[in-house]
Amino acid sequence: MEPKNVLYIWEKSCAGQPKAQAELYRLFASKMYTICLRYAGNTGDADDILQTGFIRVFTKSDRYDGKGSLEGWIRRIMINSAIEHLRKNKQIFVSAEHLNDADKAKLISTDNDPTAYRDLMTIITSLPVGYRTVFNLYAIEGYTHKEIAEMLNISEGNSKSQLSRARSWLRDRLNKMEEAESCKKTI
């Protein structure tokens, strides 16, 4: 349940009051940006997704029925905006084999501490788009493979395969980072 002041701001925002909309944006933008960045993989696309998502929040405010949390409803809009952005840019299921050597080298960079949250997020955002999308939806957002399949217009088997490949890809990158960290310590 949302605090009363958030619901008050929401009501004013629904009435089209710009100050209330700005306040609602301020309250949720940081959390929602993190979600957008996880799907986008870069700040430019994340900015676009966030903007599109908040436009939808404000223009489709009548669709929030008050059941469940407002934050959860906004989160769902951001996720759907991210998926739509990926579809629109035809980026959904690109395999790692299609990356050039410079991109592959960037993805396996070992300059960071593998245990830090920021580094983990960097690794996740560097997943190939299809892997990253399914990983985010399943492992972070908690959707089932059936729900993911419906959202992305793919089969459940494809969703499971993308998740399996994402986990393998992440495991390989983390192992390489740990090996590099071990080598640094022995030098």
Side-chain angles (χ1 to χ4, degrees):
M1 182 110 196
E2 307 298 329
K4 288 183 180 182
N5 64 332
V6 173
L7 294 176
Y8 176 77
I9 293 167
W10 173 247
E11 288 173 13
K12 296 294 183 188
S13 175
C14 291
Q17 293 184 7
K19 286 183 182 180
Q21 290 175 335
E23 183 64 14
L24 191 75
Y25 179 88
R26 187 191 64 72
L27 288 171
F28 291 107
S30 180
K31 284 182 183 179
M32 298 306 133
Y33 184 74
T34 302
I35 293 166
C36 296
L37 189 57
R38 273 198 335 250
Y39 285 90
N42 67 66
T43 57
D45 285 345
D47 290 341
D48 291 346
I49 294 167
L50 184 70
Q51 180 178 356
T52 300
F54 269 104
I55 289 170
R56 287 190 180 133
V57 165
F58 298 134
T59 60
K60 299 182 186 286
S61 60
D62 60 316
R63 293 189 183 176
Y64 176 64
D65 59 9
K67 296 177 184 171
S69 76
L70 176 61
E71 182 177 334
W73 183 77
I74 294 172
R75 176 187 205 90
R76 178 70 186 223
I77 288 176
M78 293 301 159
I79 293 167
N80 288 338
S81 295
I83 292 169
E84 183 179 308
H85 178 84
L86 295 173
R87 276 190 193 135
K88 185 172 114 180
N89 293 304
K90 298 182 187 333
Q91 294 180 334
I92 286 289
F93 295 98
V94 177
S95 125
E97 292 83 39
H98 294 96
L99 299 175
N100 63 38
D101 290 337
D103 287 338
K104 286 180 184 176
K106 183 176 122 184
L107 296 178
I108 59 172
S109 172
T110 58
D111 296 335
N112 300 313
D113 175 9
T115 60
Y117 172 79
R118 186 179 318 149
D119 297 333
L120 183 58
M121 289 309 297
T122 299
I123 294 170
I124 290 171
T125 58
S126 67
L127 276 164
V129 178
Y131 298 176
R132 180 176 65 235
T133 304
V134 172
F135 181 83
N136 279 322
L137 290 169
Y138 185 86
I140 298 174
E141 305 296 343
Y143 289 101
T144 66
H145 286 293
K146 182 177 181 178
E147 292 169 323
I148 294 168
E150 289 171 5
M151 292 169 78
L152 301 177
N153 296 321
I154 60 174
S155 69
E156 284 184 59
N158 193 340
S159 176
K160 291 175 183 178
S161 173
Q162 293 287 319
L163 178 64
S164 175
R165 290 176 183 169
R167 286 178 173 163
S168 176
W169 196 94
L170 289 169
R171 193 176 310 112
D172 289 346
R173 294 319 171 273
L174 290 171
N175 287 338
K176 287 178 183 178
M177 289 177 73
E178 288 174 3
E179 289 171 12
E181 195 62 32
S182 307
C183 290
K184 286 181 185 178
K185 289 180 182 177
T186 59
I187 293 179

